[in-house]
Amino acid sequence: MRIGVYPGTFDPITLGHMDIIRRGTRLVDKLVIGVTTNPSKSPLFSDEERLDMVRRETADLGDKVEVVGFNSLLMKFAEKQGASVIVRGLRAVADFEYEYQMAGMNQQLNDQIETVFLMADVSLQPIASRLVKEIAMFGGEIHKFVTPKVEEEITQRILETGLKGDQ
């Protein structure tokens, strides 16, 4: 069985993430979505909330997808999952430079696990979780970037936390 890992913070999960997930499932028998915390980011949602969100949004993909939280080195997580592939999404040239460096470092850690880059659909390329949150904080429309349920959760969280900016 060919297992792939698609890691990310998914804070929140966007339509761009969903595009990569759906396309990634065509490359492997099982895609493990690894939900992690990046210390350099300030998450809007807790680890458990993000896990629940990703599970809900990918539920229609059935047993082709498994959502797992992790807080370790990506290659250790991939090894633990029995993965032979790491799936990464690319939006722009700026992403490529960072991802290329990461892929090289990961290859040094375990050259038996390949990194596969998928370009996001052209209509979804500009979407970034960070920008979605920022747009929402300033009262902008985010329905083009996330599902209705995720939009509702972002809006609610911004109201609860008082993060709403001037409009």
Side-chain angles (χ1 to χ4, degrees):
M1 174 184 283
R2 183 177 212 90
I3 298 171
V5 167
Y6 178 42
T9 54
F10 305 102
D11 185 53
I13 188 167
T14 68
L15 297 179
H17 291 130
M18 290 301 299
D19 177 56
I20 298 298
I21 290 167
R22 289 186 195 289
R23 292 174 45 227
T25 61
R26 289 187 245 157
L27 301 176
V28 294
D29 299 308
K30 178 178 163 188
L31 184 65
V32 178
I33 303 170
V35 179
T36 188
T37 300
N38 184 333
S40 67
K41 297 180 180 180
S42 301
L44 188 60
F45 297 98
S46 71
D47 293 352
E48 198 56 46
E49 289 169 325
R50 289 182 288 116
L51 281 163
D52 290 345
M53 188 183 291
V54 175
R55 285 183 182 123
R56 183 191 66 238
E57 296 297 319
T58 60
D60 66 320
L61 297 173
D63 60 359
K64 188 90 170 153
V65 168
E66 180 181 0
V67 181
V68 178
F70 79 102
N71 190 16
S72 65
L73 195 60
L74 172 58
M75 292 311 278
K76 294 289 184 196
F77 176 71
E79 290 166 1
K80 184 177 177 184
Q81 300 305 312
S84 59
V85 175
I86 294 174
V87 175
R88 298 297 293 161
L90 294 176
R91 294 179 304 235
V93 174
D95 283 350
F96 180 76
E97 190 173 324
Y98 171 77
E99 293 293 344
Y100 182 77
Q101 185 177 20
M102 285 289 271
M105 293 297 285
N106 286 336
Q107 185 180 38
Q108 294 294 314
L109 295 172
N110 184 334
D111 64 1
Q112 299 303 301
I113 300 176
E114 292 292 337
T115 299
V116 175
F117 297 111
L118 295 177
M119 294 297 296
D121 182 271
V122 173
S123 67
L124 303 172
Q125 284 181 5
I127 301 174
S129 294
R130 177 184 54 81
L131 297 175
V132 169
K133 291 184 287 190
E134 192 173 312
I135 291 166
M137 285 179 199
F138 287 98
E141 296 290 325
I142 59 171
H143 67 275
K144 293 179 184 177
F145 314 124
V146 295
T147 65
K149 181 65 176 162
V150 172
E151 178 182 19
E152 179 184 311
E153 289 170 324
I154 294 168
T155 302
Q156 184 62 38
R157 179 55 46 91
I158 288 170
L159 289 173
E160 287 171 3
T161 57
L163 292 172
K164 196 160 186 95
D166 295 335
Q167 297 179 28

